[in-house]
Structure formats: structure tokens, C-alpha cells
Amino acid sequence: MVALHVALALLLAWLLGRYGAKALNALGRLTPTERDDRFFQALGLLWWGVVALLALSYLAHALAWPLEPLATWGRALTQWLGSRGLAVLAVVGLTFLGYRLIPLLLARLPEPEGELTREAVRRKTLRAVADSVLKMAILTLGGLFLLSNLGFNVTALLAGAGVVGLAVSFAAQNLIRDFINGFFILLEDQYGVGDIVLINGVGGQVERFNLRLTVLRDLEGRVHFLPNSEVRQVTVLTQEWSRAVVDVGVAYKEDLDRVLAVFRDEVERFYRDPEWRERFTEAPEVLGVQDLGQSAVLIRVLFNTKPAQQWAVAREFRRRIKNRLDREGIEIPYPHQKLYFGEPLKLEGGA
């Protein structure tokens, strides 16, 4: 029995020391400077020292070692463990276990793969929101049970928190709006993780979404954090299907009927290409002459594609049509201007 007590005490001390130090190191990594990292590493070593001292005190009392004041400290620690300590440790352990099980539980849900469909986007978004909500719920419940076992009046604390929350509600209006707006964004499936959107003039792919904020990463890799209460207008570029609009200019001297025939033929070849066929949702359309510009006649072509494929399709078609127009001898003109200086002056005789 004594050996079992010693083994359990050492195991508990090792768990407390390890995970307490890891928590302190994690806090240190959130700070901006390396000096703060070293400070939290020192706190981690101090935590290990405190845990080792508590374990040694408990063993001194349990094994009746004549070591003072360790034996006295061990006796007080044993009394505390007998009254509240075991319940506190159980609450901490269960809270930690529940927090660590959330990713494992969500990992069992099927991960959407392949094409960017609304179902895949919604699954990713619900997964991210569920992760944040479940973690917050477990930490909140664990904290309440911990305070209750430490002897605090949780009911009074909750009532006081309600009064304080009412008092600071004016200062927390933006936070409340964040959650409400985020809830409706999720409920109405306006956008989700994986969508490419334009919000308040900032564009990028939705990398993370929860009820409080939306995180975008743009084409240059920059990350934008947007509180959901600031989301006033959203332009979703990958909702159900996408469209590429391609304008190509040809010279005024070209026969437009021949030019349009070449465009239709090249568009049809592109659409029938097996390597690209799966990216389209329907056949492309050559609209015809879009504009008579200063230097060129613009021909417009529309491509309806699967979500997020419009840019690749537009780039490929521009490459193909450039090569085709070169082969056909159809000119893509450079910008040019004609300067007109008016009629020359005519001088009358004798003037």
C-alpha cells in the first residue's frame, strides 16, 4: 500500500509539473519578445520546483520521514487533499481530458476533400465553430466546478457576473454584435472556410471563421482579422459556381465576322479539352463585340466554371487565344493615338 501511495504521488507530481510547465511555455510563445519567453521558461522551472517540494512534503508525511518542516507541510497537504483537494484535482483532470478530446472527437467527422462545394465549405465552417464553442463551454464549466470545490459561492459569483456584465454591456456592444452577426452568417451560409470573398474592400480566402471574427489570407499571404460586427457587405466569389469574363482586343482593320468565327472555334476546342472539361459547369459563350476602344475592338467571352476555377480558366484561354490569333494572322494592336493639328493656314496674296 505504501508503494502504491508513493507511485501515485510521483505520477501525479509528474503530470502536474509537465502540463503546468507546458501551459506556461505556451503563454510565453504568445508574447511578442524572446525576453518574455525566457521569463515564462523560468516560471516553468519554478513550477517544477513547487510541485517537487509538494511531492517531497507528501512523501515525508506518508513515509514518516523525520524531515521538518516537510513533514508538517505534508500533513497539511494531506488534510487539504482529504477535504477538497481530490475533488479539485478531479475537476482539473476531467476538464483537461475533455479539452484534449475535442479535436479527437471532431477528427472522427468526415473531412471534406476534393472540389470546393457548398457542402464542403459548410462542413469546414461548422467544424471550426464547433471546436471553438465546445472548448469555451468545457473551460467555463470546468472553471465553475473548480471555484465551487474551492469553496466559492458560484451562485453569488454568477449573479455578480450578471450585474457586472450589465454594467459593462455598453463597452461590450461590439463583442455582442460580433457573436450575433457571426451566428447569422453561419445560419444563412453566407460564406465559410475555404470561400474566396471580398469584405469591406479586403479580399482573400476564408482561412478561419468563428462566431467572433473572420480570418482572411490574401494572395500575397497577408492575414486579415475582421470582427464579424464589421462585416457590412460581402462579395463571395465562390458561391455555387463562378464566372470568368475575358475581353480580348483585335485591330480595327480585321474582319470581325472572321474574328468571331475564330473565337468560337477556339472556345469550343477549349471547352472540349479533356484536361479542362471538368472545370466548366456549362458551355462558354462568345458574346461578341463588347466595345469599340481607342485602339482595338474588344471581344468578350464568358466562362461559367466550378467555384474558384475562374482565374485558371481565364489565364489558360488568354494563352490559347493569343497563340491562335498569331497563327491566324489576326493583329492584337498596341495602343496608339492619331494627332490632328487642324487645317493648315492659307495666306492670301499680299498678306
Side-chain angles (χ1 to χ4, degrees), residues 18-323:
R18 179 186 178 187
Y19 288 105
K22 287 181 66 175
L24 290 172
N25 290 332
L27 288 175
R29 287 192 294 270
L30 296 176
T31 57
T33 63
E34 294 183 359
R35 181 180 300 177
D36 296 329
D37 294 345
R38 292 193 293 268
F39 172 73
F40 280 95
Q41 289 174 359
L43 285 182
L45 295 176
L46 179 62
W47 171 257
W48 269 111
V50 171
V51 171
L53 181 62
L54 292 176
L56 186 60
S57 300
Y58 176 79
L59 292 177
H61 170 70
L63 300 178
W65 290 344
L67 299 175
E68 292 294 343
L70 294 180
T72 303
W73 293 348
R75 187 179 308 110
L77 178 62
T78 303
Q79 293 175 353
W80 180 80
L81 287 174
S83 59
R84 298 183 183 276
L86 292 178
V88 169
L89 293 176
V91 169
V92 172
L94 290 175
T95 302
F96 173 77
L97 180 63
Y99 189 88
R100 294 298 298 269
L101 285 177
I102 289 174
L104 299 178
L105 177 64
L106 295 178
R108 300 180 65 87
L109 299 177
E111 180 71 23
E113 298 179 357
E115 298 178 358
L116 184 65
T117 62
R118 294 316 304 163
E119 181 181 0
V121 169
R122 191 158 181 82
R123 283 185 182 181
K124 289 181 180 179
T125 307
L126 290 174
R127 191 187 189 113
V129 172
D131 181 76
S132 61
V133 170
L134 288 176
K135 286 182 177 179
M136 184 181 298
I138 285 180
L139 291 177
T140 302
L141 291 175
L144 291 176
F145 280 113
L146 178 63
L147 293 175
S148 176
N149 283 282
L150 288 176
F152 292 94
N153 189 339
V154 176
T155 304
L157 288 175
L158 290 176
V163 174
V164 173
L166 182 62
V168 302
S169 61
F170 292 102
Q173 286 182 17
N174 287 338
L175 183 61
I176 296 171
R177 283 199 294 265
D178 288 341
F179 281 93
I180 294 175
N181 205 26
F183 172 76
F184 281 107
I185 291 173
L186 179 65
L187 180 65
E188 297 170 358
D189 192 23
Q190 297 179 18
Y191 59 85
V193 176
D195 272 326
I196 300 174
V197 300
L198 183 66
I199 302 176
N200 301 341
V202 177
Q205 186 175 42
V206 180
E207 192 171 78
R208 182 157 54 91
F209 174 83
N210 55 44
L211 295 181
R212 194 181 71 82
L213 57 80
T214 298
V215 180
L216 301 182
R217 185 180 293 274
D218 64 19
L219 190 61
E220 298 181 6
R222 296 172 298 186
V223 179
H224 305 271
F225 295 86
L226 303 173
N228 290 331
S229 62
E230 301 298 326
V231 177
R232 302 299 181 189
Q233 180 178 356
V234 183
T235 302
V236 183
L237 305 180
T238 53
Q239 183 78 268
E240 300 294 344
W241 55 274
S242 299
R243 172 174 287 168
V245 180
V246 180
D247 290 333
V248 180
V250 298
Y252 273 91
K253 67 182 180 65
E254 303 296 342
D255 182 357
L256 288 182
D257 292 335
R258 176 172 174 261
V259 169
L260 291 175
V262 170
F263 268 77
R264 293 189 183 98
D265 181 67
E266 191 60 33
V267 165
E268 183 67 18
R269 291 170 182 264
F270 185 27
Y271 179 63
R272 298 298 179 188
D273 189 335
E275 294 184 4
W276 291 87
R277 179 66 182 84
E278 294 299 322
R279 305 195 187 198
F280 296 96
T281 58
E282 58 183 73
E285 182 180 2
V286 180
L287 293 185
V289 178
Q290 175 65 23
D291 188 24
L292 300 176
Q294 291 184 354
S295 304
V297 179
L298 291 182
I299 309 298
R300 172 162 292 184
V301 185
L302 299 183
F303 299 92
N304 287 354
T305 70
K306 293 181 178 179
Q309 296 297 321
Q310 65 268 41
W311 297 287
V313 167
R315 287 191 294 267
E316 177 63 15
F317 178 72
R318 291 189 185 100
R319 184 188 69 83
R320 289 172 178 249
I321 197 62
K322 169 63 169 61
N323 293 336

